[in-house]
């Protein structure tokens, strides 16, 4: 290889990144490929999209399935929503806080549902769920207490693998973290709530999920954050 070719080769490769950033960049590169091709995408395509050598993938992930699992886990990760809840404006009113909480949860749940709807539209999606962190693609809400419950199923021909105890503990930890974040967001107005913080936060999360899930809405269009926050704050009765 000539010095010129070598310089072009080096420029084409991405600069070294810390381990966590490299992992995140590979997950970000794989996500649109997964949506476009199901689990039929190749690690060569991921490497090209991330601007790295294909071998770099296997220094971060033990296998392609490990990468697939990481993409699913990233889609379900509530960390960005928790961060946004904790960064809510301190001078926001109760009405503004409730609306913002619902808006964040609504957007997150909708994004997750859109991801798995796209995956289920791909005929060969079944293999994705073998050994993955997802056990219930029909209830993919990372913020809801019943998310990823074992009662869910993927394709009948490809039953999901039962999660191990470590995965169960992870789901419980995630649920507790999401619940706690909503409680913190509501806490400045605890004395104005008709119920305790834990009940209010749990109810808000559950109702937001229920008003987005198509199987629970009986064909009705999903409620917008404006409609839902008004209903939760002011009830069903019209103001006189």
């Amino acid at each position: 290889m000539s010095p010129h070719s070598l310089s072009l080769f080096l420029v084409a490769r991405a600069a070294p990144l810390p381990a966590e950033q490299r992992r995140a960049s590979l997950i970000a590169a794989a996500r649109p490929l997964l949506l476009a091709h199901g689990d039929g995408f190749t690690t060569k395509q991921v490497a090209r999209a991330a601007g790295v050598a294909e071998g770099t993938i296997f220094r971060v992930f033990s296998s392609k399935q490990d990468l697939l699992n990481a993409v699913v886990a990233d889609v379900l990760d509530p960390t960005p929503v928790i961060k946004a809840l904790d960064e809510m404006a301190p001078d926001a009113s109760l009405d503004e806080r409730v609306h913002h909480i619902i808006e964040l949860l609504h957007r997150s749940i909708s994004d997750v549902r859109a991801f798995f709807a796209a995956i289920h539209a791909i005929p060969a999606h079944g293999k994705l769920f073998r050994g993955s962190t997802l056990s219930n693609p029909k209830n993919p809400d990372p913020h809801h207490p019943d998310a990823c419950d074992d009662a869910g199923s993927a394709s009948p021909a490809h039953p999901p693998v039962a999660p191990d105890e470590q995965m169960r503990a992870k789901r419980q930890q995630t649920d507790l973290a999401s619940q706690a974040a909503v409680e913190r967001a509501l806490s400045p107005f605890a004395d104005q709530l008709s119920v305790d913080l834990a009940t209010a936060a749990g109810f808000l999360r559950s109702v937001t999920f229920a008003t987005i899930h198509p199987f629970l809405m009986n064909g009705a269009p999903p409620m917008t954050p404006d409609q839902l926050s008004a209903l939760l704050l002011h009830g069903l009765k019209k103001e006189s």
Side-chain angles (χ1 to χ4, degrees):
M1 181 181 290
S2 69
H4 177 68
S5 298
L6 178 60
S7 66
L8 289 177
F9 176 81
L10 292 174
V11 169
R13 295 300 180 188
L17 292 174
E20 284 305 311
Q21 288 185 36
R22 172 64 70 212
R23 178 182 173 85
S25 71
L26 292 172
I27 290 172
R31 182 167 174 170
L33 292 170
L34 177 58
L35 287 174
H37 307 290
D39 58 5
F41 73 85
T42 67
T43 52
K44 184 176 292 185
Q45 289 174 310
V46 176
R48 188 182 302 118
V52 300
E54 189 174 6
T56 300
I57 296 172
F58 297 103
R59 288 195 289 272
V60 179
F61 300 99
S62 61
S63 63
K64 178 183 170 183
Q65 185 63 55
D66 190 26
L67 173 58
L68 284 169
N69 293 349
V71 174
V72 173
D74 184 66
V75 170
L76 295 174
D77 183 12
T79 301
V81 173
I82 291 173
K83 185 174 184 292
L85 288 170
D86 286 338
E87 293 176 349
M88 197 175 298
D91 58 345
S93 66
L94 176 58
D95 286 32
E96 290 169 335
R97 282 177 180 268
V98 169
H99 183 277
H100 192 51
I101 291 168
I102 293 172
E103 193 171 46
L104 288 170
L105 296 179
H106 191 285
R107 187 184 310 130
S108 177
I109 296 167
S110 296
D111 288 348
V112 171
R113 283 192 59 239
F115 177 86
F116 286 105
I119 292 300
H120 277 279
I122 300 170
H125 79 272
K127 288 187 290 184
L128 170 64
F129 302 114
R130 292 182 182 177
S132 78
T133 56
L134 182 69
S135 64
N136 187 358
K138 292 186 178 181
N139 289 313
D141 170 25
H143 313 288
H144 190 270
D146 297 327
C148 300
D149 185 82
D150 297 342
S153 61
S155 166
H158 301 289
V161 176
D164 57 20
E165 289 305 313
Q166 183 179 3
M167 202 57 230
R168 290 175 187 273
K170 175 64 176 176
R171 290 209 305 261
Q172 184 178 28
Q173 182 182 19
T174 296
D175 177 56
L176 290 173
S178 299
Q179 171 74 14
V182 176
E183 288 182 26
R184 288 194 298 274
L186 293 173
S187 61
F189 298 92
D191 60 340
Q192 296 184 33
L193 300 174
S194 60
V195 294
D196 61 87
L197 278 174
T199 301
F203 183 73
L204 196 157
R205 294 171 62 219
S206 296
V207 170
T208 301
F209 174 76
T211 54
I212 290 176
H213 201 296
F215 296 109
L216 301 177
M217 289 298 290
N218 297 318
M223 295 185 71
T224 66
D226 286 345
Q227 292 171 325
L228 185 54
S229 60
L231 182 61
L232 287 175
L233 287 164
H234 307 297
L236 293 171
K237 187 177 179 180
K238 284 185 177 181
E239 294 183 6
S240 55

